[in-house]
Each structure stands twice: as C-alpha cells, then as structure tokens.
C-alpha cells in the first residue's frame, strides 16, 4: 500500500512549498463561510417543515446541525494544524486510515461531491438570474438532447432527467469558465473575489434577519409561538409520518428519528465548511489560521442560519395550504417552489421583495461557486502528487496555482451541467459525505494513538468526548437514512465503491512509472 511518503510522485511535479502563501485569516474564514452558504438555506426549511410539522422541531433540527458542524470543525482543526498541506481531508484520511480511504474520498469528491455541488449551485445562480432576465431558464433549450426516463432499481431511481444545453445551463457554464479562469491567475485574486462575495452574502443573510424583524406578522407569531404552539407535535409521544424511499409506504417515527430524517436538508445545507482545509498549502500561518478560520466561519454561518429560521417563523405561519393563493396562506410548508426566504421578502416588501431576494441569492451562489472551485482543485493536485490522478494535475502554473487541476474540474462540472444529473447525484452522495466525516474523526482518534508525539499546535476541544459524540450522532443519522431514505444511501455507497478498481489502476500505473521517472 502506498503511504503519503511512499507514493510515486511523477517527474516534474511541484512541491507544497511552491504554493503562494496568499490566504490570511480573513480569506480562510471567507472560504469556510462562502463555501457553506449556497442556496440551501433559502429553500430547504419548507420540506423540513412539512416533515416535522412543528416549529420547535424545525429549530431543533437546525440546532442539531449547528452542534454537529461546530464539533466537526473544532475536531478538524487539530488535523489541519497537524498536517497543513494542500488536499486537507484527503490527506487526513490518507495518513490516518490509509491511502485507499483518502483516494475514495478524493474520487467521490471529484466525481460528485465537489463538482456536483458546483454544478447545482451554478444552475441555481442561473435560475435566480431569470428573475431579472426571464429568457434565462431551464425551460428554454438551445439544444435539447432528450429525456432519460426513470429507471427503478430497488430503492434507487435512476434517470428521469433532461439533458442538453438550455439558456440556464449556458449561463452556468459561462460563469464556471469565468471563475475558473480568474482562479488560474493566482490565489490572491481568487481570495479577493471570495472575500467580496462572502462579505456580501453574510450581509444579505443579516438583512433578512433585520427586515424579518421589522416585517414580523401577528398571525405568524400567534400561529407559531403563542399558547404553546411552538411545541406543537414536539412531544416524545408524537409519531410523525415519513415516506420510506421514493414513493414508498408511510412509516410512523418518533421525535429523534424525524429530526435525523430532516438532516438531509439542514446538515448538508451547512456542508463544505471543510473546503478551507484543501487550501492549507496557501494559508499564512496555517497552524493558527486554519483552526481559527474553521471555528469563526462555521460559528458565524450557523448563528445566522438559526436566526434566519426564527425569522421564517416570525413572518410566515409554519402550517399552510398548498392551494392557497396568498403568501401567508401557503406558510413555510408550502412556500412557492419551496422558496421560503423569497416568500418572507415578498411579505416584507410587496412588489419588489422577490427581486431583493433574487439578488441576495445571486451573490450567495456566486461566492459559493468561486470558493468551491478554488478549494476543490487542491485535492486533485494532492492526489496527483501521490500518483493517484492525472500527472498534469500535480503541476503548478507560473501563477503557482494548480491550473490543470482547475480546468479538469471545470470540464467535468460542465458535463454535469449539460447532463442534468447533478441534483440526483448530490442526493445520492449525501449519505457518503456523512460517512467520510465519521471516518475522518476516526482518523483523529487513530493518529492520537499512532503518532502521539507529532506536533499538535492546536488540540481538538473536548477530545475525546465531543468527537465521539459527533460519531455517535452521525452514525445514528446514517442508520435512519439507510432505513427510511434508501434512495439517498445505497446509490452513494455504490459510487464510493466504484472507486476501488480505479484506485488499484492508478496505484499500478504510478508504480510502473517509478523506474522511468527515477532513470530520468
């Protein structure tokens, strides 16, 4: 088995020290916050509210997300300070559990997690741009390749998507091209873009809170908070109906289980906070700034997330009628197209609230796409240095950025945009993402035992109790998803396992190159 020090390094590859240390604490924090906030916070609360059917449980679900994310970030801080190298979580898994685990993470990241998220958020950008320019839409095809029918394989539903080039896809690809090109010009430019848009999007979230306080509605407050209504359906004895699988039977579940089920929305709207670890090779004083940026970035975003959900409940009743013609009548549960934040802003600013909200989402999605483009390429660079990805991806350009890695990521992401498969693929890897977080925290425990004397400028707060609590909570959520949301779990595991033959191919290939590279 190859380890980080034993892996074949292709001839001509650059070393970690050649990166430009161009990311300070503010920029690193901006990558954390900017990668977390995409379009999910503006949408997912509607579906969560339909499932939990309780104001208290909606807030509880976000608080569980906040707790888990903060614990994860504080735990990753130790690994980041201990191994401040480009690749981040890939490196932690490689060093803590072995190279195959690092590769499976990098494989899934490239195939779906990073690229699929970038594609989905880029298309979300285009959809909200359509508020200002109606001709930008997924309904307007420049070239319609066709429709892939739904294919049912046990709990999995494959296909059921259109592929081709729509005006929305075209705008998404142009956005990806522009941001990728800008990031090839140097990390400082990419960081500057990230700083500007992250600051703007956090201001946008804060404005939703402020405007929501001004526009709070007496009907919503009475419905959601008065006379014990906040705790409605939040009893330990209340059973909640949950649909098992895609259009399957309905099961009645308890309080903890229903909160675990809706983590599909909240936990993964808060994902990608780990992206800053991918850029460790370019962060100034990484042993200090990496752990600090993780704590600051996740703390700020999660505080805003919880506050925003309280605002949703202060402006709109939780319960609603899907057939109602009014914003208040549809409530949080049935906000038009699940755009809860848009409904809140419409209620606050009749006539132009939708445009204000669309502008906030445009800024948010643009910053998210840029942050994930910048960070993701560093993982494939690290994989290439280990001989487990295309050799050219492991070289730095004159601007000292992994330009080839950036363009390889761009090509695959554009293909996902055209295929229309990004949303479905992201659903499939939700479970896998959680499993990789658990594995990384297990690597933290193992490295404490196998490398007790390694320099640890920062040690995980609450170790071993808090990391163990995260693992227990994540395993419980994983078990619930396996049981009640199989369409989100088994396909993700299949995608991960498909990486095994690819790993052995790359390993054999890199070993074959070693004698030739040594001879040169």
């Amino acid at each position: 088995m190859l380890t980080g020090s034993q892996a074949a390094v292709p001839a001509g590859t650059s070393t970690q020290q050649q990166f430009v240390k161009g990311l300070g604490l503010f920029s690193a924090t901006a990558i954390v916050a900017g990668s977390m906030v995409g379009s999910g916070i503006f949408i997912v609360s509607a579906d969560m509210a339909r499932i939990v059917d309780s104001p208290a449980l909606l807030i509880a679900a976000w608080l569980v997300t906040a707790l888990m994310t903060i614990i994860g970030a504080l735990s990753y801080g130790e690994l980041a300070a201990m191994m401040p190298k480009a690749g981040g979580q890939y490196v932690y898994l490689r060093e803590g559990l072995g190279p195959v685990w690092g590769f499976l993470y990098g494989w899934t990241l490239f195939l779906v997690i990073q690229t699929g998220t970038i594609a989905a958020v880029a298309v979300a950008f285009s959809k909200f741009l359509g508020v200002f320019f109606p001709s930008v839409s997924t309904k307007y095809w420049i070239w319609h390749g066709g429709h892939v029918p739904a294919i049912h394989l046990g709990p999995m539903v494959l296909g059921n998507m259109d592929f081709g080039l729509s005006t929305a896809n075209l705008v998404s690809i142009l956005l990806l091209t522009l941001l990728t090109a800008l990031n090839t010009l140097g990390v400082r430019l990419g960081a500057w873009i990230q700083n500007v848009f992250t600051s703007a999007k956090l201001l946008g979230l804060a404005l939703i809170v402020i405007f929501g306080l001004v526009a709070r509605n007496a009907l919503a407050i009475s419905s959601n908070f008065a006379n014990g209504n906040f705790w409605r359906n939040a009893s330990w004895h209340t059973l909640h109906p949950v649909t098992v699988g895609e259009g399957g039977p309905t099961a009645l579940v308890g309080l903890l289980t229903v909160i675990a089920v809706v983590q599909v929305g909240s936990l993964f709207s808060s994902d990608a906070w780990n992206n800053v670890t991918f850029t460790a090779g370019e962060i100034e004083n990484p042993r200090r700034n990496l752990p600090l940026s993780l704590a600051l970035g996740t703390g700020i975003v999660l505080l805003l997330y919880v506050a925003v959900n309280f605002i949703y409940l202060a402006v709109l009743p939780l319960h609603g009628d899907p057939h109602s013609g009014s914003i208040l009548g549809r409530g949080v549960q049935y906000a038009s197209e699940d755009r809860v934040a848009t409904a809140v802003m419409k209620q606050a600013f009749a006539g132009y609230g939708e445009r204000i909200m669309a502008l906030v989402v445009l800024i948010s999605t643009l910053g998210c796409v840029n942050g994930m483009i910048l960070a993701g390429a560093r993982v494939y660079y690290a994989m290439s240095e280990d001989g487990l990805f295309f050799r050219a991806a492991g070289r730095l350009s004159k601007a000292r950025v992994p330009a080839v890695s950036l363009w390889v990521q761009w090509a695959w992401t554009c293909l996902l945009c055209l295929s229309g498969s990004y949303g479905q693929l992201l659903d499939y890897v939700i479970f896998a993402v959680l499993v990789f977080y658990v594995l990384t925290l297990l690597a933290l425990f193992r490295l404490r035992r196998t490398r007790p004397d390694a320099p640890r400028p920062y040690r995980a707060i609450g170790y071993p109790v808090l990391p163990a609590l995260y693992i227990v909570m994540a395993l419980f959520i994983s078990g619930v998803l396996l049981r009640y949301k199989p369409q989100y779990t088994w396909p993700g595991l299949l995608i991960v396992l498909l990486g095994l033959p690819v790993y052995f191919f790359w390993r054999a290939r890199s070993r074959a190159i070693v004698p030739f590279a040594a001879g040169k």
Side-chain angles (χ1 to χ4, degrees), residues 297-367:
T298 54
I300 292 168
V301 170
L302 293 165
L303 180 63
L304 283 170
Y305 275 11
V306 174
V308 164
N309 275 275
F310 269 110
I311 290 303
Y312 292 163
L313 295 175
V315 177
L316 301 174
L318 181 85
H319 297 88
D321 178 0
H323 305 295
S324 174
S326 71
I327 295 173
L328 289 176
R330 296 181 73 92
V332 174
Q333 290 180 327
Y334 298 103
S336 179
E337 297 186 43
D338 284 354
R339 295 176 183 172
V340 188
T342 302
V344 167
M345 295 303 283
K346 279 185 174 181
Q347 185 66 22
F349 299 99
Y352 53 95
E354 183 177 14
R355 286 178 172 263
I356 295 175
M357 195 62 243
L359 181 61
V360 171
V361 177
L362 284 174
I363 294 170
S364 176
T365 51
L366 198 153

Side-chain angles (χ1 to χ4, degrees), residues 203-467:
L203 176 62
L205 278 173
L207 288 176
I208 293 175
V209 175
I210 295 169
F211 292 152
L213 287 173
V214 174
R216 62 188 183 277
N217 182 275
L219 174 63
I221 291 174
S222 174
S223 173
N224 294 329
F225 297 101
N227 302 318
N229 288 339
F230 182 73
W231 301 102
R232 184 175 52 240
N233 295 327
S235 164
W236 289 100
H237 306 293
T238 303
L239 295 178
H240 301 264
V242 171
T243 303
V244 180
E246 188 76 23
T250 298
L252 295 176
V253 302
L255 184 147
L256 293 179
T257 301
V258 78
I259 290 177
V261 167
V262 298
Q263 291 301 305
V264 168
S266 59
L267 197 58
F268 296 99
S269 290
S270 309
D271 194 27
W273 51 266
N274 61 332
N275 272 220
V276 71
T277 68
F278 305 162
T279 66
E282 294 151 287
I283 293 178
E284 300 169 358
N285 192 7
R287 297 183 186 278
R288 170 187 176 272
N289 288 340
L290 264 174
L292 197 53
S293 66
L294 282 164
L296 288 173
T298 54
I300 292 168
V301 170
L302 293 165
L303 180 63
L304 283 170
Y305 275 11
V306 174
V308 164
N309 275 275
F310 269 110
I311 290 303
Y312 292 163
L313 295 175
V315 177
L316 301 174
L318 181 85
H319 297 88
D321 178 0
H323 305 295
S324 174
S326 71
I327 295 173
L328 289 176
R330 296 181 73 92
V332 174
Q333 290 180 327
Y334 298 103
S336 179
E337 297 186 43
D338 284 354
R339 295 176 183 172
V340 188
T342 302
V344 167
M345 295 303 283
K346 279 185 174 181
Q347 185 66 22
F349 299 99
Y352 53 95
E354 183 177 14
R355 286 178 172 263
I356 295 175
M357 195 62 243
L359 181 61
V360 171
V361 177
L362 284 174
I363 294 170
S364 176
T365 51
L366 198 153
C368 181
V369 169
N370 182 74
M372 298 195 76
I373 286 174
L374 187 156
R378 275 64 181 173
V379 177
Y380 323 133
Y381 166 88
M383 292 170 67
S384 177
E385 284 217 317
D386 288 346
L388 296 174
F389 201 64
F390 301 110
R391 294 176 64 190
R395 301 191 182 104
L396 298 183
S397 67
K398 291 181 180 179
R400 296 190 184 181
V401 295
V404 173
S405 184
L406 281 163
W407 286 114
V408 170
Q409 177 180 252
W410 168 85
W412 182 248
T413 306
C414 289
L415 184 62
L416 291 180
C417 282
L418 292 173
S419 71
S421 63
Y422 49 85
Q424 193 175 69
L425 288 171
L426 278 176
D427 286 344
Y428 289 168
V429 296
I430 281 174
F431 174 75
V433 169
L434 195 58
V435 170
F436 280 120
Y437 280 140
V438 170
L439 289 172
T440 305
L441 290 193
L442 289 175
L444 171 66
F445 280 93
R446 189 168 186 271
L447 287 167
R448 280 283 187 110
R449 180 173 58 85
T450 59
R451 301 186 191 178
D453 299 324
R456 289 177 171 84
Y458 163 84
R459 289 178 175 264
I461 295 173
Y463 179 91
V465 175
L466 290 183

Side-chain angles (χ1 to χ4, degrees), residues 119 127 138 141 143-152 157-166 169 246 412 415-428 495:
K127 288 180 178 178
T138 54
W141 292 97
W143 166 69
H144 189 199
H147 178 78
V148 180
I151 303 170
H152 295 267
V157 180
L158 305 176
N160 194 27
M161 61 195 181
D162 290 290
F163 65 94
L165 183 65
S166 66
N169 288 349
E246 188 76 23
W412 182 248
L415 184 62
L416 291 180
C417 282
L418 292 173
S419 71
S421 63
Y422 49 85
Q424 193 175 69
L425 288 171
L426 278 176
D427 286 344
Y428 289 168
I495 289 171

